[in-house]
Each structure stands twice: as structure tokens, then as C-alpha cells.
Amino acid sequence: MSFYITTPIYYVNAEPHLGHAYTTIAADILARHMRQRGEDVFFLTGTDEHGEPVAQAAEREGVSPRELADRNSVKFRDLVKRVNATNDFFIRTSDPEHERGVQEVVQKIHDNGFVYEGTYEGYYCPRCADFKTDAELVDGNKCPIHLIVLEHEKEDNWFFKLSAFQEPLEKLYVDNPQWVTPRARYNEALSFIKGGLQDVSLSRARLRWGVPVPWDESQVIYVWIDALLNYYTALSYAREGEDLTSEYWPARHLIGKDILKFHAVIWPAMLLAAGIEVPRSIFIHGYLLMDEHKMSKSLGNVIDPFEVMDRFGTDTLRYYLFREVNFGQDGSISAAGFETRYNAELANEYGNLASRTLAMIGRYREGLVPGVGVDDALAADLAGVADHVREKLDAVDLSGALEEIWTAVRRLNRFVQDEEPWKLAKDEGEAEHLDRVLYSLAEGLRCVSVLVHPYMPDTAARLLAALGQEDVSFDGAAFGARGGGARIGKLEPLFPRIEPPAAAA
Ligand code: MSP
């Protein structure tokens, strides 16, 4: 079966920050894991370039929206490369192919009778690109997210008959209890639907930066309608000369909790209206917090992901984010928390296990992994690990899967302490015993490295190469799946000591 995974497309009105990297890395971990399992994966990310968020930011900077989009889109593309994401395509909503695709689908929604002309009256936040009800506002007229004063506006535009999908959406939820996860988000979306669906604007009259409404060139398509369609249009032109839609659609979406309503309510209704199959699933993660606030450019509370990676490396950031914050919930991150986990878990647990194992095989067995059987007690403890990791990742529990892997790393370290190979090495009568211990350690290290590969691809690959193993397929993740006999190589320290930042000049 194919596996099509997406991230939200990021607004180009601001610089990329760690919150953006978070979803992209999560999707990459799943994509890499599924490839290990031999699945036919397509991984999409990109930038959201139309609408007020970008038009207004461009105005503030005194450049055209296109200039701003071109400039900032590159930064998001660089971030994707920098976090080592293996996306198959990077979509920009300003791509002409996307724009044509949006027009086709919107025309279909219109032709199927779900569009009418009306007047919108109410509040609109240009940063969220979202209409706000009176009840949502804070201090009378402020956006609850951006805390900026909103204008009350009235304009004629085209409406999408979201209300017509009340029953089909309720049925979709009831028939597919796993459609939206975690459960709390499913409940949130379903109760929003049950609360009664209002029709939504499908176009904007006062904006020029967007995709023209095909039957009314005086209006542009509302940026969220345009943006959501990226998931669908991308497949039609991502690979030159091919249409991948039938191969990969429907998608599995990964999103932050801020955009639940759009993805879990409006998006499936749009697809139903156009006669297109709804997404396979939507997973909603929480916010990365610093000082208990959502980290975002607008609140000025940002960690520059490039800086973090310069100092600590990409793999360690990828590890830290999914270790520190339970994926699906909000959680705080900090430089201090990073340092603690880096030292205690990466350097002392995984790094030490690797360097000790390699050093002992070098010293006691001239660099050759003994070709014997595994330790029975260790085998019993590690037997279920790969299956558990698979189950957890099937449920998009990225932190749970990592916890399983780390339990195995700790078990292996305990094995070293209990067996004390340095003592066995002094006793000729224990030669076979030592063979078994060393092979078990090499094999255990190989398994945890295969399992952790999607999280820390470079580190795991370096370690596997030092163990004389290249294969990262998931089948090989079972303890004892590979025999001994490999010649080990050299390994530079995987997790060098963190040097304090240089004093400001
Ligand atoms: N352009 C829209 C999405 C359109 S998808 C069809 C948008 N863009 S955004 O750039 O503002 O943010 C998109 C996503 O970035 C969030 O949903 C979330 O996945 C991620 N994050 C941004 N800040 C975040 C945190 N502080 N923490 C975790 N993820 C966050 O909304």
C-alpha cells in the first residue's frame, strides 16, 4: 500500500522557526520509517503564499507579495533540507500548476451546486486569515491568537455551503473513529460539527494576491481553500509527465492544533462537495512552548532552528524534540532541557554503549564480531521491541516509539554492567561466554540503530557503518536477525561534549 504523508504548508509572511521544523521532522520520521518497511512513500511539504498574511507583510516591508514569497519560500526550503527531511516534493501555492488545479476543483464545487453569492459581515483576522465569531474575540475586538484589533467588515463574496455537509461529516466521524487522532481532537472536531455548521466565504473581494475565482475574476479564492487544495494538486504535477493522484491519494495529514477546524471540518466537506475521496487520516500535534507560551514569530518568542542545529547538530535536535515533548500534547523545550538529555541520554547512554561495544570488540576479538548466538535473557527482553515501535508509529506515537527504543538502549547498558566483559576477558575459560556477550551487544546496538534511524539518520548510519552493517530495513530490526562475522570500523565520537557558547565579542 502507498503512504502519502503531508505537513501543513507554511506561511511565507515570516521567517521559519522551530515550530515549523517540528511538523516537518515529525512527517520525515514517519516517511523514513515507512520506507524502512518497504512502503511506497510520498512526502509533501511546502509554502502557503497567497492571502492577507503575505500581502500585508509585503506591504509592511515595501515589497510586492511575489517578491516576499520568493524570498521567504527559499528559507523554508532551506529549513527542510537543513533538518534533513526527505520530502519528495516542495509545493508553492504560487506554482501555476497548483493555481490551475485549485480553479478546477473550485469550479467543480460550484458546478455541483455548493457555491452561492452572499454578503459576509463580521470580524476577520488577516494574520490567521480566519473569520472570527463575536464569542471568539477577546477584549471586545481582538484576535484571540494574535491579540491585534480586528476590523469589522462587510463584503460581498462567494460562499461555500458548508452547512450542507453537517450530516455527511457526522457520519464520517462516527464511521471512522480513528479518522482524527488523538481522541481529544476527534471529540473537539466532532462537537464543533454537532454545534451546527455555518457556510463559509470561498472568496475575498478586497484582495488581489490570490487565485482568481474562475467565473468571477473580480474576486480571489479565499486563501484557506487555495491552501488546503495543495495536498491534492501537488500529486498532479510533482513528478514531471506523471499524475500520481491515483497512486497516492488519499493523504495522511500531520498538523498543529491551531488549524484543526480547517483540516477536520472544512477540508473534508470541500472534498465531498467536489466528489473527491476524503483524507485517510489526520493527526494533530500540540505546540512547542517556551516559557509556557506558544512559540511564534508574532509573539516574538522564537528559537532559530538554524542556530540550534549549528551548535548541536541536526540529529540531536530531531531526537530532543520527540523525546522531550509527548507528541500530540503541548510541551516546553529549553536549552537546559536539551543539554541534560544530550549529556545523559545521547552521550552517556547511546554514545557510550556504542563506543564501549566497538572498543571491546576491537580489543578482545581483533575487530571481528563473534559469529555465535545471542544471550537468552537479553533476547527475551528485546524480543518485542521492533513490533512495539511499529505499532506506536502506526498510531503516530512518535514519542512512545522513541521511549521503546530507549528502554532497549538502557537494557543493553545494563547488560554490559551485569556481564562485565572486561572481567570475562581475563579468564580463558570464559571465552565462549565473552563471544556471546560481545555478539549480543553488537547485535543489540545494530537493532536499536535501525530502529532509531528515522529519528537520527546520520548518527544511526555512521554507527551501523562502524558495525559493518548498512542495511536499515525494518525486517532487520529484530534482535538476532543478523549473524556475527562483520568487521568493525572506526567511529568518531557520536556526541562530542557541548562547548559553552563563545563569549560575545
Ligand atoms: N499556512 C497555514 C497552513 C495551511 S495548511 C493547508 C499555516 N501556516 S503557519 O506557518 O502559520 O503554521 C503551520 C504549522 O506550523 C502549524 O500547524 C504547526 O504544524 C506548525 N507550528 C507553528 N508553530 C508551532 C509551534 N510553536 N509548535 C508546534 N508547531 C507549530 O497555519
Side-chain angles (χ1 to χ4, degrees):
M1 203 170 67
S2 68
F3 185 88
Y4 175 29
I5 181 92
T6 69
T7 73
I9 48 172
Y10 305 106
Y11 281 133
V12 288
N13 58 346
E15 306 273 320
H17 61 71
L18 204 46
H20 305 121
Y22 187 51
T23 320
T24 304
I25 296 170
D28 188 57
I29 291 168
L30 290 173
R32 286 176 182 269
H33 167 75
M34 286 301 171
R35 285 193 208 103
Q36 285 186 305
R37 281 161 60 173
E39 303 285 353
D40 180 9
V41 172
F42 196 89
F43 168 16
L44 180 73
T45 187
T47 43
D48 188 354
E49 306 189 0
H50 291 135
E52 284 88 348
V54 177
Q56 290 198 349
E59 207 177 298
R60 278 197 300 274
E61 294 190 28
V63 295
S64 71
R66 186 169 297 280
E67 253 176 279
L68 183 73
D70 285 346
R71 192 169 78 207
N72 282 348
S73 183
V74 172
K75 295 182 185 163
F76 281 92
R77 204 187 280 256
D78 286 349
L79 177 68
V80 166
K81 280 199 211 107
R82 194 58 207 284
V83 300
N84 214 351
T86 53
N87 57 309
D88 294 282
F89 189 59
F90 187 96
I91 190 169
R92 298 184 56 184
T93 54
S94 60
D95 291 342
E97 297 92 336
H98 167 76
E99 295 184 354
R100 269 200 300 280
V102 168
Q103 288 188 320
E104 274 170 32
V105 177
V106 166
Q107 183 71 54
K108 203 173 269 164
I109 295 174
H110 172 271
D111 295 350
N112 289 345
F114 297 110
V115 175
Y116 64 94
E117 210 168 2
T119 304
Y120 175 77
E121 196 171 342
Y123 290 91
Y124 182 80
C125 174
R127 295 265 186 91
C128 299
D130 196 7
F131 304 90
K132 305 283 173 186
T133 62
D134 291 353
E136 284 173 306
L137 301 177
V138 295
D139 300 339
N141 61 357
K142 286 190 184 152
C143 166
I145 296 165
H146 294 98
L147 305 175
I148 51 171
V149 174
L150 303 185
E151 268 177 57
H152 184 90
E153 53 175 67
K154 186 173 176 186
E155 72 166 37
D156 293 336
N157 54 38
W158 295 94
F159 276 75
F160 168 51
K161 262 190 218 167
L162 182 61
S163 58
F165 296 91
Q166 175 92 28
E167 269 178 39
L169 286 181
E170 281 183 26
K171 184 167 168 9
L172 173 71
Y173 274 76
V174 173
D175 291 350
N176 304 281
Q178 297 296 319
W179 194 66
V180 170
T181 51
R183 190 68 187 179
R185 300 292 169 206
Y186 170 99
N187 292 336
E188 188 183 331
L190 183 55
S191 74
F192 181 87
I193 295 165
K194 285 190 167 155
L197 295 179
Q198 307 285 319
D199 295 342
V200 292
S201 291
L202 178 135
S203 68
R204 301 279 295 154
R206 54 176 77 180
L207 182 75
R208 303 285 3 117
W209 178 236
V211 181
V213 173
W215 61 89
D216 175 6
E217 299 258 320
S218 75
Q219 305 232 353
V220 296
I221 293 167
Y222 171 42
V223 62
W224 266 102
I225 305 265
D226 165 1
L228 287 162
L229 281 165
N230 90 87
Y231 303 129
Y232 185 71
T233 63
L235 294 178
S236 69
Y237 70 98
R239 208 172 289 159
E240 220 179 321
E242 276 183 80
D243 187 342
L244 302 173
T245 314
S246 59
E247 198 174 332
Y248 292 109
W249 191 259
R252 295 161 205 267
H253 301 308
L254 214 56
I255 60 165
K257 66 178 185 181
D258 47 337
I259 51 179
L260 174 70
K261 178 186 73 181
F262 295 104
H263 284 80
V265 182
I266 298 178
W267 178 223
M270 280 167 60
L271 290 167
L272 290 171
I276 300 169
E277 212 179 325
V278 299
R280 205 176 286 284
S281 63
I282 307 177
F283 183 89
I284 293 93
H285 65 72
Y287 287 154
L288 292 179
L289 308 170
M290 290 217 33
D291 307 319
E292 307 304 317
H293 292 296
K294 178 187 173 223
M295 190 195 324
S296 80
K297 187 77 185 171
S298 41
L299 297 178
N301 177 13
V302 181
I303 288 189
D304 179 348
F306 292 101
E307 250 171 59
V308 176
M309 287 180 285
D310 278 346
R311 257 190 87 195
F312 307 113
T314 302
D315 278 2
T316 51
L317 175 73
R318 292 171 61 112
Y319 171 82
Y320 173 68
L321 292 178
F322 295 92
R323 189 80 177 126
E324 185 81 337
V325 179
N326 209 330
F327 196 57
Q329 293 165 15
D330 291 351
S332 295
I333 55 165
S334 66
F338 179 92
E339 225 168 291
T340 305
R341 288 201 187 266
Y342 184 96
N343 289 328
E345 298 177 357
L346 293 176
N348 290 344
E349 292 178 341
Y350 189 43
N352 260 348
L353 176 67
S355 56
R356 279 163 118 187
T357 300
L358 290 166
M360 290 190 292
I361 294 170
R363 195 172 314 136
Y364 307 139
R365 291 295 179 264
E366 292 170 342
L368 217 57
V369 178
V372 291
V374 289
D375 179 90
D376 289 338
L378 186 63
D381 284 351
L382 298 185
V385 176
D387 285 341
H388 293 148
V389 168
R390 177 205 303 264
E391 284 158 21
K392 294 264 152 88
L393 289 179
D394 278 341
V396 200
D397 181 2
L398 274 73
S399 310
L402 196 48
E403 176 63 28
E404 292 285 343
I405 300 168
W406 229 254
T407 304
V409 169
R410 289 179 175 156
R411 177 67 183 90
L412 288 163
N413 274 318
R414 224 169 48 239
F415 182 70
V416 179
Q417 279 159 27
D418 292 349
E419 296 292 337
E420 302 183 302
W422 45 92
K423 287 192 182 156
L424 301 177
K426 289 186 185 140
D427 183 349
E428 268 302 313
E430 293 284 6
E432 271 180 39
H433 186 177
L434 181 60
D435 275 346
R436 198 166 56 245
V437 169
L438 293 177
Y439 166 62
S440 298
L441 282 173
E443 181 58 6
L445 196 52
R446 188 190 63 76
C447 292
V448 293
S449 301
V450 170
L451 293 173
V452 91
H453 189 270
Y455 296 82
M456 296 193 282
D458 286 344
T459 306
R462 278 171 59 203
L463 182 40
L464 286 166
L467 285 168
Q469 305 279 349
E470 312 269 80
D471 180 22
V472 294
S473 70
F474 199 80
D475 289 346
F479 187 60
R482 301 282 180 265
R487 173 157 299 282
I488 59 161
K490 242 184 91 65
L491 184 67
E492 295 297 322
L494 291 172
F495 308 103
R497 273 188 72 83
I498 295 182
E499 299 299 336

